Amino acid sequence: MELEFLGTNAGVPSLQRNVTSMALRMFEERRTFWLFDCGEATQHQILRSSLKLSKLEKVFITHLHGDHIFGLPGLLSSRAYQGGTTKLTVYGPPGLKQFIEVSLTLSQSRIEYELEVIEHTGGLVYEDQEIMVESLLLDHRVDSYGYRIAEKDKAGSLDLKRLAEYGLKPGPAYGQLKRGESIDLGNGQLLKPEDVLGSPKKGRIVTILGDTRPCDNVLTLARDADLLVHEATFMHDLKESAHNYHHCTSIQAAEAALKAGVKELILTHFSSRYKDLEHLQPLLEEAKTVFPNTKLAEELVLFPVLRHA
C-alpha cells in the first residue's frame, strides 16, 4: 500500500504544483488503486505516473469545490480509451451525481463501462472482507468530508513445520485453519488454528481529510492512524486567514496528529504563495516542532503506508 500525490496545491494550479488529487495504490493487496479527489488535470498527472486508469477501482470525493472535482468528468470520459472496462464507483457528498450527469450529458460523453455514483453524508461508506471506509463531516465553507480507510486484521502465517508434525500437507485443511476453523485429525484430536498460526497481522489505517478548520471529527477519523494526510494551506503566522477561509495551518495539522496519536503525518493542499519545495520548508519545520514525523507531500513521489506495531 502506497500513497502517490497527483496534486498538492490549494485553489488553483501553479507551474510547480497541480490542484488536489492523490492515489492510494493497493496493487499487492487488490491489484487496483483508489483516487481521492480529482482536481483539474488529474488525468494528465496520471499519464506522468506509472498508474493506469484501467486499474482504477474507486474515487472518493471530499467536497465539491472546483479544485477537487473539475478533473473528474474528463477522467471518467477518457477512462475507457485507456483500457478501463471494469466497474468504477464514485463516492462523495450530495450534488456529486448531478455534477457528473450534467457534465457528461452536455458534453455528449459516452461511458463504456459500468459507472456507479454513491452520495453520502458520512458514516460507513464502503466495506468488504478486506477493508472498511468511514467518513465524517469536517468544518469547511461547504460540506467537506474526511475518509478513514482501515484494513481488516489478517490471520497470522501458518507454521509449516508444526503442520508437518501433525501430518498435514498443503491442501484444503490449510485454508480452513487460515479461516479460523478447527481441523479433525481423525484420531480423536482436534487441531485448533491458534496451534499452528502465528500472531495476527494488524491492518493499517490511512486517514485522508478534505479541506477543514480544526474540529473534533478530524481527531475521530485520525485516531491511531498509521498515516494521516492533512491540509496545511498556510503557515501559522497566517492563522487568522486560515480560519477566515476555513482552512488549517501547518501547526494546527501537527497538533491534530499529536492529539490523535497517529504514526506519520503528510501535509498537503499548500497555498500558491509558497512557490516551491524550498518555500515550503519553513512550513514543514514549524510542523515538526509539534509532530516530528511530518513530511511534505510531493507530486509523483511514492509514500509507503508502513505497518506499525
Side-chain angles (χ1 to χ4, degrees):
M1 184 183 286
E2 300 167 308
L3 199 61
E4 183 171 12
F5 290 86
L6 303 170
T8 61
N9 232 34
V12 295
S14 68
L15 291 175
Q16 293 77 26
R17 298 189 301 270
N18 197 42
V19 284
T20 299
S21 183
M22 64 199 82
L24 185 61
R25 301 163 54 109
M26 296 181 285
F27 294 120
E28 290 186 7
E29 296 83 4
R30 304 175 69 93
R31 298 183 180 179
T32 61
F33 74 94
W34 293 358
L35 200 63
F36 289 82
D37 284 335
C38 190
E40 180 184 354
T42 291
Q43 64 172 317
H44 190 81
Q45 291 288 81
I46 288 175
L47 291 174
R48 297 177 60 205
S49 75
S50 62
L51 297 168
K52 305 296 181 185
L53 282 179
S54 59
K55 299 296 184 181
L56 177 59
E57 180 185 11
K58 297 181 182 297
V59 180
F60 295 87
I61 299 298
T62 62
H63 63 293
L64 301 185
H65 277 157
D67 57 320
H68 294 255
I69 64 168
F70 279 167
L72 190 55
L75 182 143
L76 295 177
S77 63
S78 62
R79 178 175 180 258
Y81 295 104
Q82 298 187 36
T85 58
T86 56
K87 178 181 177 179
L88 177 64
T89 307
V90 183
Y91 303 83
L96 177 63
K97 189 172 185 178
Q98 181 184 9
F99 170 74
I100 292 174
E101 288 179 346
V102 170
S103 299
L104 297 181
T105 299
L106 292 181
S107 62
Q108 298 186 33
S109 300
R110 296 182 60 185
I111 302 299
E112 304 291 344
Y113 53 87
E114 183 181 356
L115 175 64
E116 181 181 23
V117 181
I118 298 177
E119 296 182 339
H120 69 83
T121 54
L124 180 63
V125 175
Y126 174 76
E127 184 175 17
D128 61 21
Q129 293 181 338
E130 302 171 340
I131 206 161
M132 180 170 65
V133 181
E134 297 173 289
S135 181
L136 288 174
L137 182 66
L138 305 174
D139 182 0
H140 194 47
R141 290 188 293 119
V142 299
D143 285 355
S144 178
Y145 291 87
Y147 293 98
R148 178 182 175 93
I149 306 98
E151 280 185 315
K152 295 183 179 180
D153 295 348
K154 295 181 180 179
S157 300
L158 289 168
D159 187 329
L160 300 182
K161 183 178 179 180
R162 295 210 65 189
L163 286 167
E165 292 173 356
Y166 285 107
L168 289 175
K169 296 181 180 180
Y174 279 28
Q176 289 178 257
L177 290 164
K178 287 284 285 187
R179 292 193 298 270
E181 302 170 10
S182 298
I183 299 295
D184 187 349
L185 297 177
N187 57 1
Q189 186 178 7
L190 196 65
L191 180 61
K192 298 179 181 179
E194 55 265 31
D195 295 331
V196 291
L197 283 175
S199 300
K201 185 181 293 185
K202 187 171 177 57
R204 290 163 290 185
I205 298 172
V206 180
T207 299
I208 297 174
L209 302 179
D211 294 2
T212 188
R213 290 193 294 205
C215 65
D216 289 342
N217 280 348
V218 166
L219 304 182
T220 301
L221 289 169
R223 184 69 59 200
D224 299 324
D226 293 282
L227 178 62
L228 168 64
V229 179
H230 197 304
E231 72 131 284
T233 308
F234 300 105
M235 288 186 64
H236 204 61
D237 61 338
L238 294 174
K239 62 181 179 181
E240 289 188 11
S241 294
H243 180 82
N244 291 338
Y245 288 105
H246 290 77
H247 287 295
C248 279
T249 69
S250 54
I251 289 287
Q252 289 169 334
E255 288 173 342
L258 184 65
K259 291 177 183 177
V262 309
K263 309 305 187 297
E264 182 178 357
L265 169 66
I266 300 181
L267 304 178
T268 188
H269 200 267
F270 309 119
S271 168
S272 56
R273 71 179 59 224
Y274 310 112
K275 300 299 183 183
D276 50 32
L277 280 175
E278 180 181 351
H279 290 91
L280 286 172
Q281 287 305 308
L283 186 149
L284 173 63
E285 293 305 318
E286 69 175 13
K288 292 177 75 170
T289 63
V290 175
F291 191 82
N293 195 15
T294 302
K295 296 181 175 65
L296 293 175
E298 297 182 52
E299 295 177 23
L300 305 180
V301 173
L302 297 183
F303 293 84
V305 181
L306 301 177
R307 196 183 305 275
H308 298 88

